[in-house]
Structure formats: structure tokens, C-alpha cells
Amino acid sequence: MSRTRWRLGLGATAFLVAAGLVPAPAHAEDVTDYAITVAPAARGPKIDDTMYGVFFEDINRAADGGLYAELVQNRSFEYSTADNSSYTPLTSWTVSGAGQVVNDDGRLGERNRNYLSLGAGSSVTNAGYNTGIHVDEGKKYDFSVWARADAGTVLTVSLQDADGTLATARKVTVTKDGWAQYRATFTATGTSSDGRLTVASSAAAALDMVSLFPRDTYRGEPNGLREDLAEKIAALQPGFVRFPGGCLVNTGSMEDYSAASGWQRQRSYQWKDTIGPVEQRATNANVWGYNQSYGLGYYEYFRLSEDIGAMPLPVVPALVTGCGQNKAVVDEALLKRHIQDTLDLIEFANGPASSTWGKVRAKMGHPKPFHLTHIEVGNEENLPNEFFARFKEFRAAIQAKHPDIQVISNSGPDDSGTTFDTAWQLNKDAKVDMVDEHYYNSPQWFLQNNDRYDSYDRNGPKVFLGEYASQGNTFKNGLTEAAFMTGLERNADVVKLASYAPLFANEDYVQWRPDLIWFNNHASWNSANYEVQKLFMTNVGDRVVPSTATGTPSLLAPITGAVGLSTWATTAAYDDVRVTGADGNTLLTDDFSGDASRWTHTGGGSWSVQDGQYVQTDVNAENTMVSAGDPSWHDYDLKVKATKKAGKEGFLVAFGVKDTGNYYWWNIGGWNNTQSAVEQAVDGGKSTLISKAGSVETGRTYDIDVKVRGRQVTLYLDGQEWGSFTDDKPAEPFRQVVTKDQKTGDLIVKVVNAQNTAARTAIDLGGAKVASKARVTTLAAGPDAVNSETATAVAPVKSTFDGVAGKFSYTFPANSITFLRIRQR
């Protein structure tokens, strides 16, 4: 990226990045001057104790193989091709001798359909998760199994790895003719992350629910949580826990798990499937491509929330599928059943132990209510009108019976666009209490949109920012998220709840990046983003103290870059590419009557010239970018003809292409051919600049015209103006907010300096009488720094600063987040 440096009055130094708007690298001695002015006598918005929380969704193996401490994978032999095309009921198991999975009337329970029939003298071995079952020398592990065999049958249970025995084998004698649960305890004699659990039988036996749990679960609870992962959640001191999803909630069938539905195995997450004894809980496919045992269910979510002092915030399906499925379920009886299920959920959480569902909770071990106050209906629905018609029925039923429960709606899957605008208008018109917004955008977007909530209606619905992240786990991502969070706090009268997402990722089973906490079967580590979230979540304050700050001078050059063509899960043909400068000179023309030598293939897929067209022929390939031209081009017209051949989507026509991670593209017929948008990629992270509903027809040729003038872009489809935008919003790297801790009286000055120059700052505390010493917490690292299992590059450093006064100066390091806790006298 190019950069320009110039001197300002008073010796301030500023750096400019013409195209990307992000501060460029600078020398260590460079300093930019700023000023912060605080108004301690003015009262800003109150910040609720629940401002920041966590969002748990079973993605990236966050539950089984993750937070749920069970060490045996596929413990009830329920894995199926419905979960993953590669799965069988014996996935993660190896049978020695005679053994097969059976689904017949001899099963353990109606909702636990499969069991293993093991022959005499045979054994079965489980491989656990990741590299195997992890055990620590000297620690205890509780084994259990449901078995059915002739009385006197002996089960020999052992733990071993390739190097030998990990615990003394245990023998379990079957004492009953029918199904019964049998238990044993191991004490590990060695430490290994490659363990295997083997169950051998002296005679023919039926086995189900083969389980191994560490004794050391979080707070020592049986069927409990993995201790290190739960402790990382607790260390954030979250104000709420949103669960169980996410796309789990509003994808798949809305039917139940029963004979009437054909034992539907691809269902939305329905809370009644996940309570009661674990052997009676229904298994289910996970939309992210694996199985969920529901050993971690609603009861465990409520218990976790209570244990860490957080507000439980469940999400229930609204019978409109999302996350690419986009179907409104039209079944009045089914809708009424789900509404009643939601009312029953509230009774399960809050009802007395004498009530129908309160009794179920009490029987599970919790006679006291869980004090549920908020419930969310739906998640990221892309059909706002259909969703809202159903949402209103849920809300009316809940408010009629439980007027004290706040019912939360949502605004779809994006930060802007037609769905977002329609959903917000419906929410405003219906005077909804709170609206859940979700977005995953580039770091630049977060620097550009600190003021997003400044203009929101103070008398309208409040905002729950239920999912957000800046598409990466480097410290640069954390810095830009922190800059954005100062805007969330400044607008705490509008933004009432906020949670980064997703929470967990098992490094060997990743469906989504970035993620807050990473782990494998033996270790866990905090991402750079986690350290940012923890710093904010544990230093919130109770009220905003109004403050202002100067910004970073910037100069915006024209959008520059080459041009490109791409596809996404689609085959398409391109022809008659012409790039013309604003002065009328031809920069590029290609009718593909010869070869495609002027095009550089940087993406996936397969391109070739066919019948005078440039064709991408791999229908499954994503981001198949080819580019041509000069990265220094600016102020030009790009014209191209595009024809969809087959596949899920439409065309991707790129401009302002600098390299594989920095470009703009017009995504025509994206999102499963439901909408079109202009997206900007900065260092690989994309954000949407403008979007509209729409689709493309297979076989039809479209005329596409993109006019780039300065930083304004106008787009034409078949000669008609489709839309335009101006990309001129500065990505301000210096952000701040001040809050007050009512208990201590501290002013908490929070400053983010997301640039490679130090920020020399004059701070005026507006006449506040303060102690001369401040407690300082600093996160500072290189922008590309990441935390890993073996290295912690981003961690808080605590210090003191002795130079505090009514007016004082402080130099905030380059690429840093600094919290100054200043005691008021």
C-alpha cells in the first residue's frame, strides 16, 4: 500500500494509506499528537451490568469434544450419514472380534435408537477426540456403561496408548438380565493425549452409552464441563450467556424426534430433546457437519450461567429457517406446538418445583428457579416478513403469560441491506424491546464504524449485538474490535448487550474462523481477541463519562487497482471485457478470440477459453479469481458480459484489485442466488458496502458496467443503474471512551491506538480532582501477533503511572489498548 507523510502545525505527524485507509507501518520514533477532553460533571448513559456477555454455539466441536467433558466420542453409537456423509455408527470405534451396531426393539430406549451387540471374547476400542483420550497421571476418571447380558458376564475395561497401559484395568460384572448401568473408576498411572478406551466382554453383550469423564470437572459436577474451558468463560465475568445458537436454532426440520416424524435426524435445536437423564436425550445432526449428543443441554447451560453469575439468554426457533436454507414453515399446529414449548421452557427455568416443568428441573437437581428474564425468538432470518409474522405470535403468547420476560427479535444476518432495513422497520413499528444484530466484517470496517450507533433512535428498540468479530485472530483484529467497543460503550443507552462470536474452536475441527478460545484434547489458549474482550468485560464501569478526542488527519486518494473475474460454487462464462479510462483511452480489451494470457489466475477453479469466452468450469470451486491490468489504474469504466452456466450463485466482477486479499467485487446473485452486493476485501477480511435482493438466470447474458471515479463507484446492470456508493469513510485508528466505576469512584480512561505510531496525548480531566497515580493495564503487540498453545504474544501488562493531574500527557504505545484507572479524590 502506498503512504504519504506530511508535517502539521505543532509538529504532529500523520500517516496516510490512500486506498485501504488503514495506517501504514512507521518508524518507532514517529509520534502522532492527540487530545482527549473529559467532562466529569456531565452524566453519560448508564452501563448495565449485563453489557458484555458470551455466545455459545456448538460449532467447531465446541460441545462434544470441547466444553462437555465426555472423553468418549460417539458413546451411544448414534453417528449417522445424516450428521456427516463419512460417518457410520462405529465412527471413532474399532471392533476386535464380532460386533455390530443394532437398531431393534432390544434398544436401551426409544430415543436412544442404536446399541452395540458384542460377541463373546470380543472387544471395542474408542479413539476419543483429536489425537485420542487425554489423561493426567494421578487424576481420577469415572467410567460408566449401560449393558445387557447374561448375569455373570464380565466386562474388562482398560486405558492404554501406543506405549502401554495408562491405568490399571477394571473388571465390571453384569448382575442383571436387562439393561443396567455399571460404573468403575480409573486412576491414571501416566499422562497421555493419545489414549484409547477398550471394553472387552467375556460373553455376548449389548453395550450403550459407553462413557469416561474426568473426575475434575468444572465445580465437580457430574455430566459436567471441561474445567479449563469453563474457567476461561468464568474469567471473562460475562453478564449473560446466549445459547444454544446460532444457526443450530433455525436450520433443519422443525419436527420432533419421534416415530411420527420418522425419527427426524436433522432437526432444529429443540430444548426438550436436551434435558433429563443423558441416556434418554435424543441425538441430532449438527448443521456444522457432525453429531451432537445433547449431553450438554439446556439444564447444563442454565447451570453454567448460574455458576458464573451470568444472565441466561436462550434462543428458540421461530419456524423460519435461515443460514442459507431460507424457508418459512407453514404449519399452524407445529407453530402452536413450538410456542407452547417456549412457554414450557420459561416454566422449566422459572416455575416452582410443584409445576409440571419446574418438577422436571427439580428432579434434575435444581429445585430453585433459574431466574430467566430474557428470551430470543429466531436467529438471522433472511425472510423478515415471514419471520416477523411468527415472532409476533410468540411474543403475544409469552407476554400474555409472562409479562416480565423481555422478548428479543433480530435484524437478519448482515449489518445493512434490504433484509436489515425491512426487519428494523418491522421491529420499530411493533415496538419490540430489543433487536439482535449480527455482523462479521473486516478490521477496516470496525475502524470506520465506531459511530454506528450514534445516530440510532434513543426511543426505539434497544440493540443486542449478539454476534460480531473482525475476521481474524491477530492482535490487529483485537485492536479494531476494541476501537469499535469504545463506540458500543459510548452508546450504552442503545446497545444494551454485546457478545463476540464464536466462543470456542477445537483446532482439529474448525468450521468457522475467527474464534475467541482455542483448544485441543489437552490444552486451551486465549486468542488475542479474548484478551481484548476480557480487558473490557472486567473494567466496564457503571456510567459513561462524556469525552471528546481529536482524530488522525487523513487524505483519501482515488480507488486504485486492476480488474478481476470470479465465481463461487458456479460455472460462468465471461466475454467482451473492456476497461476504459475516464479520458476515453482504452486500458484493456479482451474478446477471448485468442488466449487468456493477460489474465492471472490467483484463486481456485478451472478456467479456459471456450468458443470465444473465458469460462470457469468447476461448479464446486469458491473464489476462483482471475485478474488483469495494472494495480495503479484509477478512474475507469469496466464493462463485461457474463453468463451463468450452472451452480448455486451468479457472478463476481472485481475492481480496485491490489492483490488476493485487497479488492472490491460486485457479487451478483450471491448468497445462494438471493441477493447482490458490493463487498470490499481488506487483508482478506470482507465487508459489505451496498446490497439488494436479486437473482440471476441461468443461460442469460448480462451486461455489467462498473464506473470508478475517485472514491465513488456507480454500477449498471443491463444498462440500468443498479446502485452506487462512495468509499470515503476514514478508518480512524485512535479511539477512546471514559467510564466511571461507581463503587471505587475511579475514572476509567480507555484508549485504543490501532496504528504503528505512538499517540502522544494531552488529557484534560475537566477539573476533576484526582490522585496523582493511576493503575494502568496495557495490551500491546505487533499487529500480526497471535496467541497459540505454546506462545502467548498478547497478554495484559499492569503498571502504574505517577504523572496524573487535572491536565497531563500520556503517550499511548503503537498498536496498543490502554486502560488508565484514575482515582477521584
Side-chain angles (χ1 to χ4, degrees), residues 453-478:
Y453 297 106
D454 291 3
S455 59
Y456 271 49
D457 183 359
R458 267 46 203 167
N459 298 312
K462 302 305 180 185
V463 172
F464 172 20
L465 181 49
E467 298 183 34
Y468 73 99
S470 73
Q471 300 175 334
N473 278 143
T474 69
F475 188 50
K476 176 179 69 177
N477 298 102

PDB file of all heavy atoms in Angstrom, residues 453-478:
ATOM      1  N   TYR A 453     -23.693   3.530  16.156  1.00  0.00           N
ATOM      2  CA  TYR A 453     -24.891   3.652  16.995  1.00  0.00           C
ATOM      3  C   TYR A 453     -25.148   5.081  17.471  1.00  0.00           C
ATOM      4  O   TYR A 453     -26.119   5.314  18.184  1.00  0.00           O
ATOM      5  CB  TYR A 453     -24.813   2.674  18.166  1.00  0.00           C
ATOM      6  CG  TYR A 453     -24.785   1.244  17.685  1.00  0.00           C
ATOM      7  CD1 TYR A 453     -23.609   0.499  17.721  1.00  0.00           C
ATOM      8  CD2 TYR A 453     -25.925   0.644  17.150  1.00  0.00           C
ATOM      9  CE1 TYR A 453     -23.581  -0.811  17.244  1.00  0.00           C
ATOM     10  CE2 TYR A 453     -25.908  -0.657  16.679  1.00  0.00           C
ATOM     11  CZ  TYR A 453     -24.732  -1.379  16.728  1.00  0.00           C
ATOM     12  OH  TYR A 453     -24.709  -2.666  16.246  1.00  0.00           O
ATOM     13  N   ASP A 454     -24.294   6.024  17.066  1.00  0.00           N
ATOM     14  CA  ASP A 454     -24.501   7.419  17.472  1.00  0.00           C
ATOM     15  C   ASP A 454     -25.847   7.953  16.987  1.00  0.00           C
ATOM     16  O   ASP A 454     -26.478   8.776  17.655  1.00  0.00           O
ATOM     17  CB  ASP A 454     -23.387   8.311  16.913  1.00  0.00           C
ATOM     18  CG  ASP A 454     -22.034   8.056  17.567  1.00  0.00           C
ATOM     19  OD1 ASP A 454     -21.950   7.150  18.420  1.00  0.00           O
ATOM     20  OD2 ASP A 454     -21.069   8.752  17.213  1.00  0.00           O
ATOM     21  N   SER A 455     -26.276   7.486  15.815  1.00  0.00           N
ATOM     22  CA  SER A 455     -27.488   8.040  15.198  1.00  0.00           C
ATOM     23  C   SER A 455     -28.724   7.178  15.407  1.00  0.00           C
ATOM     24  O   SER A 455     -29.789   7.489  14.865  1.00  0.00           O
ATOM     25  CB  SER A 455     -27.246   8.228  13.694  1.00  0.00           C
ATOM     26  OG  SER A 455     -26.918   6.991  13.089  1.00  0.00           O
ATOM     27  N   TYR A 456     -28.616   6.093  16.179  1.00  0.00           N
ATOM     28  CA  TYR A 456     -29.793   5.251  16.411  1.00  0.00           C
ATOM     29  C   TYR A 456     -30.814   5.995  17.272  1.00  0.00           C
ATOM     30  O   TYR A 456     -30.454   6.812  18.124  1.00  0.00           O
ATOM     31  CB  TYR A 456     -29.395   3.944  17.101  1.00  0.00           C
ATOM     32  CG  TYR A 456     -29.019   2.826  16.140  1.00  0.00           C
ATOM     33  CD1 TYR A 456     -28.125   3.046  15.096  1.00  0.00           C
ATOM     34  CD2 TYR A 456     -29.545   1.550  16.282  1.00  0.00           C
ATOM     35  CE1 TYR A 456     -27.773   2.024  14.223  1.00  0.00           C
ATOM     36  CE2 TYR A 456     -29.194   0.519  15.418  1.00  0.00           C
ATOM     37  CZ  TYR A 456     -28.312   0.766  14.386  1.00  0.00           C
ATOM     38  OH  TYR A 456     -27.964  -0.243  13.526  1.00  0.00           O
ATOM     39  N   ASP A 457     -32.072   5.685  17.034  1.00  0.00           N
ATOM     40  CA  ASP A 457     -33.180   6.301  17.762  1.00  0.00           C
ATOM     41  C   ASP A 457     -33.104   5.940  19.242  1.00  0.00           C
ATOM     42  O   ASP A 457     -33.187   4.769  19.610  1.00  0.00           O
ATOM     43  CB  ASP A 457     -34.500   5.816  17.149  1.00  0.00           C
ATOM     44  CG  ASP A 457     -35.720   6.452  17.794  1.00  0.00           C
ATOM     45  OD1 ASP A 457     -35.565   7.257  18.733  1.00  0.00           O
ATOM     46  OD2 ASP A 457     -36.839   6.129  17.357  1.00  0.00           O
ATOM     47  N   ARG A 458     -32.965   6.942  20.080  1.00  0.00           N
ATOM     48  CA  ARG A 458     -32.871   6.711  21.526  1.00  0.00           C
ATOM     49  C   ARG A 458     -34.180   6.188  22.116  1.00  0.00           C
ATOM     50  O   ARG A 458     -34.197   5.624  23.209  1.00  0.00           O
ATOM     51  CB  ARG A 458     -32.478   7.997  22.240  1.00  0.00           C
ATOM     52  CG  ARG A 458     -30.994   8.220  22.480  1.00  0.00           C
ATOM     53  CD  ARG A 458     -30.092   7.955  21.313  1.00  0.00           C
ATOM     54  NE  ARG A 458     -28.738   7.661  21.782  1.00  0.00           N
ATOM     55  CZ  ARG A 458     -27.771   7.153  21.052  1.00  0.00           C
ATOM     56  NH1 ARG A 458     -27.981   6.890  19.785  1.00  0.00           N
ATOM     57  NH2 ARG A 458     -26.589   6.876  21.558  1.00  0.00           N
ATOM     58  N   ASN A 459     -35.276   6.388  21.409  1.00  0.00           N
ATOM     59  CA  ASN A 459     -36.587   5.947  21.903  1.00  0.00           C
ATOM     60  C   ASN A 459     -37.071   4.686  21.209  1.00  0.00           C
ATOM     61  O   ASN A 459     -38.180   4.222  21.468  1.00  0.00           O
ATOM     62  CB  ASN A 459     -37.618   7.068  21.708  1.00  0.00           C
ATOM     63  CG  ASN A 459     -37.258   8.314  22.490  1.00  0.00           C
ATOM     64  OD1 ASN A 459     -36.937   8.237  23.668  1.00  0.00           O
ATOM     65  ND2 ASN A 459     -37.281   9.464  21.834  1.00  0.00           N
ATOM     66  N   GLY A 460     -36.266   4.137  20.318  1.00  0.00           N
ATOM     67  CA  GLY A 460     -36.650   2.929  19.605  1.00  0.00           C
ATOM     68  C   GLY A 460     -36.191   1.680  20.327  1.00  0.00           C
ATOM     69  O   GLY A 460     -35.736   1.727  21.483  1.00  0.00           O
ATOM     70  N   PRO A 461     -36.284   0.521  19.655  1.00  0.00           N
ATOM     71  CA  PRO A 461     -35.814  -0.728  20.262  1.00  0.00           C
ATOM     72  C   PRO A 461     -34.330  -0.645  20.615  1.00  0.00           C
ATOM     73  O   PRO A 461     -33.545   0.015  19.937  1.00  0.00           O
ATOM     74  CB  PRO A 461     -36.049  -1.764  19.157  1.00  0.00           C
ATOM     75  CG  PRO A 461     -37.122  -1.174  18.296  1.00  0.00           C
ATOM     76  CD  PRO A 461     -36.890   0.305  18.324  1.00  0.00           C
ATOM     77  N   LYS A 462     -33.966  -1.303  21.699  1.00  0.00           N
ATOM     78  CA  LYS A 462     -32.560  -1.373  22.085  1.00  0.00           C
ATOM     79  C   LYS A 462     -31.853  -2.413  21.221  1.00  0.00           C
ATOM     80  O   LYS A 462     -32.475  -3.251  20.578  1.00  0.00           O
ATOM     81  CB  LYS A 462     -32.426  -1.714  23.567  1.00  0.00           C
ATOM     82  CG  LYS A 462     -33.129  -0.726  24.487  1.00  0.00           C
ATOM     83  CD  LYS A 462     -32.678   0.702  24.254  1.00  0.00           C
ATOM     84  CE  LYS A 462     -33.392   1.680  25.172  1.00  0.00           C
ATOM     85  NZ  LYS A 462     -33.045   3.095  24.859  1.00  0.00           N
ATOM     86  N   VAL A 463     -30.521  -2.360  21.224  1.00  0.00           N
ATOM     87  CA  VAL A 463     -29.712  -3.243  20.388  1.00  0.00           C
ATOM     88  C   VAL A 463     -29.023  -4.294  21.242  1.00  0.00           C
ATOM     89  O   VAL A 463     -28.438  -3.984  22.280  1.00  0.00           O
ATOM     90  CB  VAL A 463     -28.651  -2.453  19.602  1.00  0.00           C
ATOM     91  CG1 VAL A 463     -27.686  -3.389  18.877  1.00  0.00           C
ATOM     92  CG2 VAL A 463     -29.321  -1.519  18.601  1.00  0.00           C
ATOM     93  N   PHE A 464     -29.131  -5.528  20.781  1.00  0.00           N
ATOM     94  CA  PHE A 464     -28.329  -6.630  21.297  1.00  0.00           C
ATOM     95  C   PHE A 464     -27.366  -7.009  20.176  1.00  0.00           C
ATOM     96  O   PHE A 464     -27.781  -7.522  19.142  1.00  0.00           O
ATOM     97  CB  PHE A 464     -29.247  -7.805  21.656  1.00  0.00           C
ATOM     98  CG  PHE A 464     -28.547  -9.090  22.033  1.00  0.00           C
ATOM     99  CD1 PHE A 464     -27.233  -9.112  22.456  1.00  0.00           C
ATOM    100  CD2 PHE A 464     -29.237 -10.292  21.980  1.00  0.00           C
ATOM    101  CE1 PHE A 464     -26.605 -10.298  22.811  1.00  0.00           C
ATOM    102  CE2 PHE A 464     -28.625 -11.487  22.330  1.00  0.00           C
ATOM    103  CZ  PHE A 464     -27.307 -11.499  22.747  1.00  0.00           C
ATOM    104  N   LEU A 465     -26.095  -6.724  20.336  1.00  0.00           N
ATOM    105  CA  LEU A 465     -25.100  -7.110  19.344  1.00  0.00           C
ATOM    106  C   LEU A 465     -24.670  -8.535  19.674  1.00  0.00           C
ATOM    107  O   LEU A 465     -23.697  -8.773  20.376  1.00  0.00           O
ATOM    108  CB  LEU A 465     -23.927  -6.136  19.351  1.00  0.00           C
ATOM    109  CG  LEU A 465     -22.806  -6.396  18.334  1.00  0.00           C
ATOM    110  CD1 LEU A 465     -23.354  -6.627  16.941  1.00  0.00           C
ATOM    111  CD2 LEU A 465     -21.800  -5.261  18.350  1.00  0.00           C
ATOM    112  N   GLY A 466     -25.440  -9.496  19.157  1.00  0.00           N
ATOM    113  CA  GLY A 466     -25.304 -10.882  19.587  1.00  0.00           C
ATOM    114  C   GLY A 466     -24.146 -11.630  18.976  1.00  0.00           C
ATOM    115  O   GLY A 466     -23.674 -12.627  19.539  1.00  0.00           O
ATOM    116  N   GLU A 467     -23.678 -11.195  17.801  1.00  0.00           N
ATOM    117  CA  GLU A 467     -22.534 -11.836  17.161  1.00  0.00           C
ATOM    118  C   GLU A 467     -21.755 -10.790  16.384  1.00  0.00           C
ATOM    119  O   GLU A 467     -22.324 -10.079  15.556  1.00  0.00           O
ATOM    120  CB  GLU A 467     -22.985 -12.944  16.197  1.00  0.00           C
ATOM    121  CG  GLU A 467     -23.724 -14.091  16.849  1.00  0.00           C
ATOM    122  CD  GLU A 467     -24.068 -15.195  15.850  1.00  0.00           C
ATOM    123  OE1 GLU A 467     -23.264 -15.420  14.908  1.00  0.00           O
ATOM    124  OE2 GLU A 467     -25.134 -15.816  15.995  1.00  0.00           O
ATOM    125  N   TYR A 468     -20.463 -10.704  16.659  1.00  0.00           N
ATOM    126  CA  TYR A 468     -19.595  -9.831  15.860  1.00  0.00           C
ATOM    127  C   TYR A 468     -18.155 -10.288  16.019  1.00  0.00           C
ATOM    128  O   TYR A 468     -17.771 -10.873  17.034  1.00  0.00           O
ATOM    129  CB  TYR A 468     -19.743  -8.363  16.266  1.00  0.00           C
ATOM    130  CG  TYR A 468     -19.112  -7.995  17.597  1.00  0.00           C
ATOM    131  CD1 TYR A 468     -17.863  -7.391  17.657  1.00  0.00           C
ATOM    132  CD2 TYR A 468     -19.769  -8.247  18.801  1.00  0.00           C
ATOM    133  CE1 TYR A 468     -17.282  -7.045  18.878  1.00  0.00           C
ATOM    134  CE2 TYR A 468     -19.213  -7.912  20.018  1.00  0.00           C
ATOM    135  CZ  TYR A 468     -17.965  -7.319  20.050  1.00  0.00           C
ATOM    136  OH  TYR A 468     -17.390  -6.991  21.250  1.00  0.00           O
ATOM    137  N   ALA A 469     -17.365 -10.035  14.992  1.00  0.00           N
ATOM    138  CA  ALA A 469     -15.926 -10.281  15.025  1.00  0.00           C
ATOM    139  C   ALA A 469     -15.332  -9.680  13.759  1.00  0.00           C
ATOM    140  O   ALA A 469     -16.033  -9.469  12.773  1.00  0.00           O
ATOM    141  CB  ALA A 469     -15.606 -11.771  15.107  1.00  0.00           C
ATOM    142  N   SER A 470     -14.029  -9.440  13.786  1.00  0.00           N
ATOM    143  CA  SER A 470     -13.385  -8.765  12.663  1.00  0.00           C
ATOM    144  C   SER A 470     -12.586  -9.700  11.757  1.00  0.00           C
ATOM    145  O   SER A 470     -11.608  -9.285  11.137  1.00  0.00           O
ATOM    146  CB  SER A 470     -12.471  -7.641  13.164  1.00  0.00           C
ATOM    147  OG  SER A 470     -11.295  -8.180  13.748  1.00  0.00           O
ATOM    148  N   GLN A 471     -13.006 -10.959  11.701  1.00  0.00           N
ATOM    149  CA  GLN A 471     -12.473 -11.902  10.706  1.00  0.00           C
ATOM    150  C   GLN A 471     -10.990 -12.179  10.862  1.00  0.00           C
ATOM    151  O   GLN A 471     -10.239 -12.221   9.891  1.00  0.00           O
ATOM    152  CB  GLN A 471     -12.771 -11.406   9.286  1.00  0.00           C
ATOM    153  CG  GLN A 471     -14.259 -11.251   9.004  1.00  0.00           C
ATOM    154  CD  GLN A 471     -14.540 -10.650   7.645  1.00  0.00           C
ATOM    155  OE1 GLN A 471     -13.729  -9.925   7.092  1.00  0.00           O
ATOM    156  NE2 GLN A 471     -15.717 -10.925   7.107  1.00  0.00           N
ATOM    157  N   GLY A 472     -10.561 -12.413  12.069  1.00  0.00           N
ATOM    158  CA  GLY A 472      -9.170 -12.806  12.275  1.00  0.00           C
ATOM    159  C   GLY A 472      -8.833 -12.867  13.745  1.00  0.00           C
ATOM    160  O   GLY A 472      -9.520 -12.280  14.587  1.00  0.00           O
ATOM    161  N   ASN A 473      -7.758 -13.592  14.083  1.00  0.00           N
ATOM    162  CA  ASN A 473      -7.331 -13.736  15.469  1.00  0.00           C
ATOM    163  C   ASN A 473      -5.966 -13.110  15.730  1.00  0.00           C
ATOM    164  O   ASN A 473      -5.292 -13.451  16.701  1.00  0.00           O
ATOM    165  CB  ASN A 473      -7.317 -15.207  15.892  1.00  0.00           C
ATOM    166  CG  ASN A 473      -8.679 -15.742  16.286  1.00  0.00           C
ATOM    167  OD1 ASN A 473      -9.016 -16.881  16.007  1.00  0.00           O
ATOM    168  ND2 ASN A 473      -9.480 -14.916  16.942  1.00  0.00           N
ATOM    169  N   THR A 474      -5.543 -12.182  14.868  1.00  0.00           N
ATOM    170  CA  THR A 474      -4.317 -11.445  15.153  1.00  0.00           C
ATOM    171  C   THR A 474      -4.629 -10.291  16.101  1.00  0.00           C
ATOM    172  O   THR A 474      -5.785  -9.922  16.303  1.00  0.00           O
ATOM    173  CB  THR A 474      -3.691 -10.879  13.869  1.00  0.00           C
ATOM    174  OG1 THR A 474      -4.545  -9.840  13.365  1.00  0.00           O
ATOM    175  CG2 THR A 474      -3.521 -11.955  12.815  1.00  0.00           C
ATOM    176  N   PHE A 475      -3.583  -9.694  16.627  1.00  0.00           N
ATOM    177  CA  PHE A 475      -3.805  -8.556  17.521  1.00  0.00           C
ATOM    178  C   PHE A 475      -4.421  -7.377  16.775  1.00  0.00           C
ATOM    179  O   PHE A 475      -5.160  -6.589  17.355  1.00  0.00           O
ATOM    180  CB  PHE A 475      -2.495  -8.143  18.194  1.00  0.00           C
ATOM    181  CG  PHE A 475      -2.681  -7.097  19.263  1.00  0.00           C
ATOM    182  CD1 PHE A 475      -3.641  -7.250  20.258  1.00  0.00           C
ATOM    183  CD2 PHE A 475      -1.907  -5.947  19.278  1.00  0.00           C
ATOM    184  CE1 PHE A 475      -3.829  -6.283  21.247  1.00  0.00           C
ATOM    185  CE2 PHE A 475      -2.080  -4.978  20.257  1.00  0.00           C
ATOM    186  CZ  PHE A 475      -3.044  -5.151  21.245  1.00  0.00           C
ATOM    187  N   LYS A 476      -4.114  -7.266  15.467  1.00  0.00           N
ATOM    188  CA  LYS A 476      -4.752  -6.212  14.683  1.00  0.00           C
ATOM    189  C   LYS A 476      -6.273  -6.342  14.743  1.00  0.00           C
ATOM    190  O   LYS A 476      -6.986  -5.341  14.861  1.00  0.00           O
ATOM    191  CB  LYS A 476      -4.283  -6.275  13.230  1.00  0.00           C
ATOM    192  CG  LYS A 476      -4.967  -5.260  12.316  1.00  0.00           C
ATOM    193  CD  LYS A 476      -4.464  -5.341  10.894  1.00  0.00           C
ATOM    194  CE  LYS A 476      -4.890  -6.618  10.218  1.00  0.00           C
ATOM    195  NZ  LYS A 476      -4.461  -6.686   8.807  1.00  0.00           N
ATOM    196  N   ASN A 477      -6.773  -7.568  14.664  1.00  0.00           N
ATOM    197  CA  ASN A 477      -8.214  -7.774  14.765  1.00  0.00           C
ATOM    198  C   ASN A 477      -8.730  -7.329  16.122  1.00  0.00           C
ATOM    199  O   ASN A 477      -9.761  -6.657  16.233  1.00  0.00           O
ATOM    200  CB  ASN A 477      -8.557  -9.247  14.539  1.00  0.00           C
ATOM    201  CG  ASN A 477      -8.173  -9.730  13.159  1.00  0.00           C
ATOM    202  OD1 ASN A 477      -7.156 -10.404  12.995  1.00  0.00           O
ATOM    203  ND2 ASN A 477      -8.957  -9.384  12.163  1.00  0.00           N
ATOM    204  N   GLY A 478      -8.016  -7.695  17.167  1.00  0.00           N
ATOM    205  CA  GLY A 478      -8.430  -7.282  18.502  1.00  0.00           C
ATOM    206  C   GLY A 478      -8.404  -5.779  18.676  1.00  0.00           C
ATOM    207  O   GLY A 478      -9.282  -5.197  19.328  1.00  0.00           O
TER     208      GLY A 478
END
